Amino acid sequence: DAGVIQSPRHEVTEMGQEVTLRCKPISGHDYLFWYRQTMMRGLELLIYFNNNVPIDDSGMPEDRFSAKMPNASFSTLKIQPSEPRDSAVYFCASSLQYNEQFFGPGTRLTVL
Amino acid sequence: GQQLNQSPQSMFIQEGEDVSMNCTSSSIFNTWLWYKQEPGEGPVLLIALYKAGELTSNGRLTAQFGITRKDSFLNISASIPSDVGIYFCAGQHLYGGSQGNLIFGKGTKLSVKP
């Protein structure tokens, strides 16, 4: 069975550019989570969806970040405009039960 | 935000040795999870614990949900080189019947010398 799929795996962009990260959750999972991982702050929850509806976006750093889930098999995390401090690894995770989350391989974002 | 204290930060051990790591919190959790992350990959769920005092094994891994509900332990027996990685604990509160978000520890980096 395919796990959580994320694309791209690596993204290098310049400050001010728009960045879109993509995620395909495991089929049948009704929860989808976006996390950010940095050395300084570890794993941080940005936002999560239940049945495609955003439930908690309190972890989204600021208005430059937005996330959508137009259907059960696809979600995007967008940063516009991007800044160097956004450089991190972004993970998508999905779950059937809220807490047993399965993570994707991550997108390593570098903003120059 | 809330923090989990995970220790040790890193471990350098010889192949065949047993490993112990733990997480503590100042508040009560109703769920504890243990994940392993290898370089360039996402965290992989190893063990999930749901009841205080629960002891659960997954191969050479054993984890326990502390009786106070404020801590959890992960033990790895007879370590092998492929155990190398970063191990994360994660805890979850229960607020008035609603599940809180997972809170992750900072990780324990395990290195195994053959």
Side-chain angles (χ1 to χ4, degrees):
Chain A
D1 289 340
V4 175
I5 298 172
Q6 290 187 247
S7 65
R9 291 296 307 273
H10 302 273
E11 177 82 29
V12 180
T13 189
E14 292 190 344
M15 183 173 63
Q17 296 297 307
E18 178 179 294
V19 174
T20 299
L21 311 180
R22 296 172 177 80
C23 174
K24 177 179 169 53
I26 294 172
S27 177
H29 282 189
D30 54 353
Y31 285 93
L32 184 139
F33 306 81
W34 282 101
Y35 287 88
R36 177 171 67 177
Q37 186 178 42
T38 61
M39 289 294 292
M40 289 296 294
R41 299 175 67 89
L43 265 168
E44 301 175 282
L45 177 66
L46 300 177
I47 184 172
Y48 81 89
F49 296 81
N50 179 217
N51 292 320
N52 313 338
V53 176
I55 303 300
D56 184 355
D57 65 353
S58 59
M60 296 286 260
E62 47 199 274
D63 292 345
R64 297 184 297 107
F65 286 68
S66 62
K68 294 182 180 179
M69 192 166 185
N71 58 62
S73 58
F74 184 66
S75 177
T76 60
L77 177 68
K78 187 175 292 186
I79 308 173
Q80 164 66 6
S82 58
E83 296 182 3
R85 60 192 168 121
D86 302 330
S87 297
V89 181
Y90 290 82
F91 289 104
C92 175
S94 71
S95 68
L96 188 55
Q97 297 182 51
Y98 177 91
N99 43 26
E100 293 187 18
Q101 299 173 22
F102 293 84
F103 283 75
T107 295
R108 181 173 294 277
L109 173 66
T110 302
V111 183
L112 303 174
Chain B
Q2 295 184 5
Q3 296 272 332
L4 287 182
N5 296 312
Q6 185 170 352
S7 65
Q9 268 191 311
S10 62
M11 302 182 74
F12 297 85
I13 63 168
Q14 198 78 29
E15 182 177 0
E17 289 183 357
D18 295 344
V19 173
S20 289
M21 60 191 78
N22 70 85
C23 275
T24 60
S25 169
S26 57
S27 56
I28 291 171
F29 285 116
N30 70 298
T31 300
W32 283 97
L33 305 172
W34 285 92
Y35 285 84
K36 178 189 177 186
Q37 186 176 21
E38 297 185 21
E41 300 297 329
V44 174
L45 181 63
L46 300 173
I47 293 178
L49 302 161
Y50 298 103
K51 288 169 56 177
E54 181 180 356
L55 187 71
T56 298
S57 293
N58 178 5
R60 293 178 296 106
L61 277 63
T62 301
Q64 185 162 23
F65 193 139
I67 198 72
T68 65
R69 296 172 64 193
K70 294 183 178 181
D71 56 7
S72 180
F73 304 86
L74 176 70
N75 296 319
I76 305 173
S77 62
S79 58
I80 59 178
S82 62
D83 291 334
V84 165
I86 302 177
Y87 291 79
F88 292 96
C89 62
Q92 183 184 39
H93 294 284
L94 194 66
Y95 298 109
S98 299
Q99 291 170 314
N101 296 331
L102 276 182
I103 300 166
F104 283 83
K106 290 293 180 69
T108 295
K109 185 175 182 180
L110 179 63
S111 301
V112 180
K113 186 177 180 181

